Amino acid sequence: MKKKFYPILTEAQQATQALAIPTRSQYQQRYREDPRLPSHPNEVYADEWQNWPTFLNTSNKFYSTLTEAQQATQALAISTMSQYQQRYREDSRLPSLPNDVYANEWQNWPTFLNTSNKFYSTLTEAQQATQALAISSSSQYQQRYREDPRLPSNPSEVYADEWQNWPTFLNTSNKFYSTLTEAQQATQALAISTRIQYKQRYREDPRLPSNPDEVYADEWQNWPTFLGNEIKNFYSTLTEAQQATQAL
């Protein structure tokens, strides 16, 4: 049976506002609380649709358009996504999630922050430039990204909308295991129990990198977790091991 939605945008709007939903992502999580709300109101009510701030009634709370929010953000000289998260409260009309609030107009963080002229405008371009420098780890990237003035120090933040992980960005996912979990399983299959053993034996599997903490920097926790020896009751952090050693 075809689901019956509210016949007009105004009714869907009122129902949504009654649920006090402030962002598009929250709408996607909660619209089922009212069986007459569609998952994509911008499509169902396309003829009347304006934008998400208007639909959610946040246009008085936040800037009503992406352009206004952009101008306000740039006036604060915010240049990265993490800076935005730290500082957006300096302007009470800036939302915490502009990519949700202005979803209809949103492109990417470099465009929003006006850094696309300073940095490569897309992750793909930054990727190609990085790979042209033959950079193979996140630590090498930090040492060498200045060789190309259009590469940012923190590509995971600048290209947050598109970012996957360092192996994909550096094009090492075909050379090494593409995820930390796979590398972890392969290492544990070799019964490697210490970092020193890993350095001596990782070449036994050609898909293991010499520096997994750098290659899988996005997911990395610590060596005991990676080696699976937390269950052997080793201390999970250097600080704990230090304290225990000093106690002896």
Side-chain angles (χ1 to χ4, degrees), residues 168-187:
T168 302
F169 181 69
L170 299 171
N171 197 31
T172 56
S173 54
N174 292 326
K175 181 180 177 185
F176 301 133
Y177 289 105
S178 58
T179 66
L180 177 67
T181 302
E182 292 174 292
Q184 222 169 1
Q185 291 169 344
T187 301

PDB file of all heavy atoms in Angstrom, residues 168-187:
ATOM      1  N   THR A 168      43.735   5.159   1.346  1.00  0.00           N
ATOM      2  CA  THR A 168      43.036   5.543   0.107  1.00  0.00           C
ATOM      3  C   THR A 168      43.616   6.840  -0.434  1.00  0.00           C
ATOM      4  O   THR A 168      43.881   6.970  -1.636  1.00  0.00           O
ATOM      5  CB  THR A 168      41.530   5.702   0.364  1.00  0.00           C
ATOM      6  OG1 THR A 168      41.014   4.472   0.868  1.00  0.00           O
ATOM      7  CG2 THR A 168      40.789   6.072  -0.913  1.00  0.00           C
ATOM      8  N   PHE A 169      43.814   7.820   0.442  1.00  0.00           N
ATOM      9  CA  PHE A 169      44.340   9.119   0.023  1.00  0.00           C
ATOM     10  C   PHE A 169      45.733   8.976  -0.591  1.00  0.00           C
ATOM     11  O   PHE A 169      46.054   9.612  -1.601  1.00  0.00           O
ATOM     12  CB  PHE A 169      44.386  10.063   1.226  1.00  0.00           C
ATOM     13  CG  PHE A 169      44.903  11.444   0.907  1.00  0.00           C
ATOM     14  CD1 PHE A 169      44.167  12.315   0.119  1.00  0.00           C
ATOM     15  CD2 PHE A 169      46.127  11.875   1.394  1.00  0.00           C
ATOM     16  CE1 PHE A 169      44.637  13.593  -0.187  1.00  0.00           C
ATOM     17  CE2 PHE A 169      46.608  13.151   1.103  1.00  0.00           C
ATOM     18  CZ  PHE A 169      45.864  14.009   0.314  1.00  0.00           C
ATOM     19  N   LEU A 170      46.564   8.140   0.017  1.00  0.00           N
ATOM     20  CA  LEU A 170      47.956   7.993  -0.443  1.00  0.00           C
ATOM     21  C   LEU A 170      48.116   6.916  -1.518  1.00  0.00           C
ATOM     22  O   LEU A 170      49.217   6.692  -2.008  1.00  0.00           O
ATOM     23  CB  LEU A 170      48.861   7.666   0.748  1.00  0.00           C
ATOM     24  CG  LEU A 170      48.912   8.728   1.854  1.00  0.00           C
ATOM     25  CD1 LEU A 170      49.652   8.182   3.072  1.00  0.00           C
ATOM     26  CD2 LEU A 170      49.567  10.010   1.350  1.00  0.00           C
ATOM     27  N   ASN A 171      46.994   6.255  -1.843  1.00  0.00           N
ATOM     28  CA  ASN A 171      47.002   5.187  -2.841  1.00  0.00           C
ATOM     29  C   ASN A 171      47.905   4.027  -2.426  1.00  0.00           C
ATOM     30  O   ASN A 171      48.611   3.431  -3.237  1.00  0.00           O
ATOM     31  CB  ASN A 171      47.438   5.714  -4.217  1.00  0.00           C
ATOM     32  CG  ASN A 171      47.063   4.750  -5.341  1.00  0.00           C
ATOM     33  OD1 ASN A 171      46.063   4.042  -5.243  1.00  0.00           O
ATOM     34  ND2 ASN A 171      47.862   4.715  -6.391  1.00  0.00           N
ATOM     35  N   THR A 172      47.876   3.707  -1.126  1.00  0.00           N
ATOM     36  CA  THR A 172      48.640   2.554  -0.644  1.00  0.00           C
ATOM     37  C   THR A 172      47.715   1.389  -0.312  1.00  0.00           C
ATOM     38  O   THR A 172      48.162   0.356   0.154  1.00  0.00           O
ATOM     39  CB  THR A 172      49.444   2.924   0.618  1.00  0.00           C
ATOM     40  OG1 THR A 172      48.548   3.428   1.618  1.00  0.00           O
ATOM     41  CG2 THR A 172      50.508   3.962   0.319  1.00  0.00           C
ATOM     42  N   SER A 173      46.397   1.572  -0.557  1.00  0.00           N
ATOM     43  CA  SER A 173      45.444   0.522  -0.183  1.00  0.00           C
ATOM     44  C   SER A 173      45.615  -0.749  -1.021  1.00  0.00           C
ATOM     45  O   SER A 173      45.248  -1.830  -0.586  1.00  0.00           O
ATOM     46  CB  SER A 173      44.001   1.030  -0.284  1.00  0.00           C
ATOM     47  OG  SER A 173      43.744   1.567  -1.556  1.00  0.00           O
ATOM     48  N   ASN A 174      46.190  -0.617  -2.245  1.00  0.00           N
ATOM     49  CA  ASN A 174      46.453  -1.814  -3.052  1.00  0.00           C
ATOM     50  C   ASN A 174      47.759  -2.474  -2.635  1.00  0.00           C
ATOM     51  O   ASN A 174      47.960  -3.669  -2.797  1.00  0.00           O
ATOM     52  CB  ASN A 174      46.515  -1.452  -4.543  1.00  0.00           C
ATOM     53  CG  ASN A 174      45.153  -1.040  -5.064  1.00  0.00           C
ATOM     54  OD1 ASN A 174      44.140  -1.560  -4.613  1.00  0.00           O
ATOM     55  ND2 ASN A 174      45.126  -0.095  -5.987  1.00  0.00           N
ATOM     56  N   LYS A 175      48.648  -1.663  -2.087  1.00  0.00           N
ATOM     57  CA  LYS A 175      49.948  -2.174  -1.642  1.00  0.00           C
ATOM     58  C   LYS A 175      49.818  -2.806  -0.257  1.00  0.00           C
ATOM     59  O   LYS A 175      50.351  -3.876   0.003  1.00  0.00           O
ATOM     60  CB  LYS A 175      50.949  -1.013  -1.597  1.00  0.00           C
ATOM     61  CG  LYS A 175      52.352  -1.409  -1.180  1.00  0.00           C
ATOM     62  CD  LYS A 175      53.259  -0.192  -1.156  1.00  0.00           C
ATOM     63  CE  LYS A 175      54.655  -0.579  -0.668  1.00  0.00           C
ATOM     64  NZ  LYS A 175      55.545   0.600  -0.523  1.00  0.00           N
ATOM     65  N   PHE A 176      49.108  -2.107   0.641  1.00  0.00           N
ATOM     66  CA  PHE A 176      48.922  -2.595   2.004  1.00  0.00           C
ATOM     67  C   PHE A 176      47.459  -2.999   2.205  1.00  0.00           C
ATOM     68  O   PHE A 176      46.605  -2.697   1.378  1.00  0.00           O
ATOM     69  CB  PHE A 176      49.273  -1.488   3.018  1.00  0.00           C
ATOM     70  CG  PHE A 176      50.679  -0.982   2.905  1.00  0.00           C
ATOM     71  CD1 PHE A 176      50.933   0.389   2.893  1.00  0.00           C
ATOM     72  CD2 PHE A 176      51.758  -1.855   2.805  1.00  0.00           C
ATOM     73  CE1 PHE A 176      52.235   0.869   2.798  1.00  0.00           C
ATOM     74  CE2 PHE A 176      53.062  -1.373   2.709  1.00  0.00           C
ATOM     75  CZ  PHE A 176      53.298  -0.003   2.701  1.00  0.00           C
ATOM     76  N   TYR A 177      47.171  -3.671   3.326  1.00  0.00           N
ATOM     77  CA  TYR A 177      45.782  -3.941   3.680  1.00  0.00           C
ATOM     78  C   TYR A 177      45.041  -2.610   3.765  1.00  0.00           C
ATOM     79  O   TYR A 177      45.582  -1.633   4.286  1.00  0.00           O
ATOM     80  CB  TYR A 177      45.708  -4.690   5.013  1.00  0.00           C
ATOM     81  CG  TYR A 177      46.197  -6.120   4.916  1.00  0.00           C
ATOM     82  CD1 TYR A 177      47.436  -6.490   5.427  1.00  0.00           C
ATOM     83  CD2 TYR A 177      45.429  -7.099   4.290  1.00  0.00           C
ATOM     84  CE1 TYR A 177      47.902  -7.789   5.326  1.00  0.00           C
ATOM     85  CE2 TYR A 177      45.877  -8.407   4.181  1.00  0.00           C
ATOM     86  CZ  TYR A 177      47.123  -8.755   4.698  1.00  0.00           C
ATOM     87  OH  TYR A 177      47.578 -10.044   4.577  1.00  0.00           O
ATOM     88  N   SER A 178      43.822  -2.596   3.267  1.00  0.00           N
ATOM     89  CA  SER A 178      43.116  -1.316   3.167  1.00  0.00           C
ATOM     90  C   SER A 178      42.548  -0.830   4.495  1.00  0.00           C
ATOM     91  O   SER A 178      42.247   0.343   4.643  1.00  0.00           O
ATOM     92  CB  SER A 178      41.995  -1.402   2.128  1.00  0.00           C
ATOM     93  OG  SER A 178      41.086  -2.430   2.477  1.00  0.00           O
ATOM     94  N   THR A 179      42.413  -1.722   5.481  1.00  0.00           N
ATOM     95  CA  THR A 179      41.905  -1.292   6.786  1.00  0.00           C
ATOM     96  C   THR A 179      42.811  -1.801   7.901  1.00  0.00           C
ATOM     97  O   THR A 179      43.533  -2.792   7.747  1.00  0.00           O
ATOM     98  CB  THR A 179      40.477  -1.819   7.050  1.00  0.00           C
ATOM     99  OG1 THR A 179      40.517  -3.261   7.156  1.00  0.00           O
ATOM    100  CG2 THR A 179      39.524  -1.411   5.934  1.00  0.00           C
ATOM    101  N   LEU A 180      42.740  -1.129   9.026  1.00  0.00           N
ATOM    102  CA  LEU A 180      43.505  -1.535  10.209  1.00  0.00           C
ATOM    103  C   LEU A 180      43.112  -2.942  10.646  1.00  0.00           C
ATOM    104  O   LEU A 180      43.971  -3.749  11.015  1.00  0.00           O
ATOM    105  CB  LEU A 180      43.245  -0.538  11.347  1.00  0.00           C
ATOM    106  CG  LEU A 180      43.897  -0.849  12.686  1.00  0.00           C
ATOM    107  CD1 LEU A 180      45.407  -0.724  12.588  1.00  0.00           C
ATOM    108  CD2 LEU A 180      43.369   0.056  13.780  1.00  0.00           C
ATOM    109  N   THR A 181      41.824  -3.246  10.584  1.00  0.00           N
ATOM    110  CA  THR A 181      41.342  -4.564  11.024  1.00  0.00           C
ATOM    111  C   THR A 181      42.001  -5.691  10.238  1.00  0.00           C
ATOM    112  O   THR A 181      42.431  -6.696  10.814  1.00  0.00           O
ATOM    113  CB  THR A 181      39.806  -4.649  10.874  1.00  0.00           C
ATOM    114  OG1 THR A 181      39.213  -3.596  11.645  1.00  0.00           O
ATOM    115  CG2 THR A 181      39.276  -5.988  11.347  1.00  0.00           C
ATOM    116  N   GLU A 182      42.111  -5.531   8.914  1.00  0.00           N
ATOM    117  CA  GLU A 182      42.739  -6.564   8.084  1.00  0.00           C
ATOM    118  C   GLU A 182      44.220  -6.718   8.441  1.00  0.00           C
ATOM    119  O   GLU A 182      44.733  -7.839   8.539  1.00  0.00           O
ATOM    120  CB  GLU A 182      42.601  -6.216   6.602  1.00  0.00           C
ATOM    121  CG  GLU A 182      41.181  -6.281   6.069  1.00  0.00           C
ATOM    122  CD  GLU A 182      41.092  -5.781   4.632  1.00  0.00           C
ATOM    123  OE1 GLU A 182      41.292  -4.573   4.401  1.00  0.00           O
ATOM    124  OE2 GLU A 182      40.850  -6.604   3.733  1.00  0.00           O
ATOM    125  N   ALA A 183      44.903  -5.587   8.626  1.00  0.00           N
ATOM    126  CA  ALA A 183      46.330  -5.630   8.993  1.00  0.00           C
ATOM    127  C   ALA A 183      46.499  -6.282  10.355  1.00  0.00           C
ATOM    128  O   ALA A 183      47.447  -7.048  10.589  1.00  0.00           O
ATOM    129  CB  ALA A 183      46.909  -4.220   8.990  1.00  0.00           C
ATOM    130  N   GLN A 184      45.581  -5.980  11.251  1.00  0.00           N
ATOM    131  CA  GLN A 184      45.587  -6.533  12.603  1.00  0.00           C
ATOM    132  C   GLN A 184      45.462  -8.060  12.555  1.00  0.00           C
ATOM    133  O   GLN A 184      46.234  -8.789  13.192  1.00  0.00           O
ATOM    134  CB  GLN A 184      44.377  -5.962  13.331  1.00  0.00           C
ATOM    135  CG  GLN A 184      44.606  -5.527  14.742  1.00  0.00           C
ATOM    136  CD  GLN A 184      43.394  -4.731  15.255  1.00  0.00           C
ATOM    137  OE1 GLN A 184      42.401  -4.529  14.555  1.00  0.00           O
ATOM    138  NE2 GLN A 184      43.488  -4.279  16.476  1.00  0.00           N
ATOM    139  N   GLN A 185      44.483  -8.534  11.790  1.00  0.00           N
ATOM    140  CA  GLN A 185      44.255  -9.976  11.675  1.00  0.00           C
ATOM    141  C   GLN A 185      45.466 -10.683  11.087  1.00  0.00           C
ATOM    142  O   GLN A 185      45.860 -11.763  11.550  1.00  0.00           O
ATOM    143  CB  GLN A 185      43.012 -10.235  10.823  1.00  0.00           C
ATOM    144  CG  GLN A 185      41.710  -9.805  11.516  1.00  0.00           C
ATOM    145  CD  GLN A 185      40.508  -9.802  10.579  1.00  0.00           C
ATOM    146  OE1 GLN A 185      40.653  -9.834   9.357  1.00  0.00           O
ATOM    147  NE2 GLN A 185      39.309  -9.747  11.149  1.00  0.00           N
ATOM    148  N   ALA A 186      46.075 -10.070  10.061  1.00  0.00           N
ATOM    149  CA  ALA A 186      47.257 -10.672   9.433  1.00  0.00           C
ATOM    150  C   ALA A 186      48.432 -10.721  10.412  1.00  0.00           C
ATOM    151  O   ALA A 186      49.177 -11.704  10.464  1.00  0.00           O
ATOM    152  CB  ALA A 186      47.643  -9.866   8.198  1.00  0.00           C
ATOM    153  N   THR A 187      48.586  -9.672  11.206  1.00  0.00           N
ATOM    154  CA  THR A 187      49.673  -9.610  12.187  1.00  0.00           C
ATOM    155  C   THR A 187      49.475 -10.651  13.273  1.00  0.00           C
ATOM    156  O   THR A 187      50.415 -11.367  13.656  1.00  0.00           O
ATOM    157  CB  THR A 187      49.733  -8.200  12.820  1.00  0.00           C
ATOM    158  OG1 THR A 187      49.954  -7.241  11.782  1.00  0.00           O
ATOM    159  CG2 THR A 187      50.855  -8.092  13.840  1.00  0.00           C
TER     160      THR A 187
END
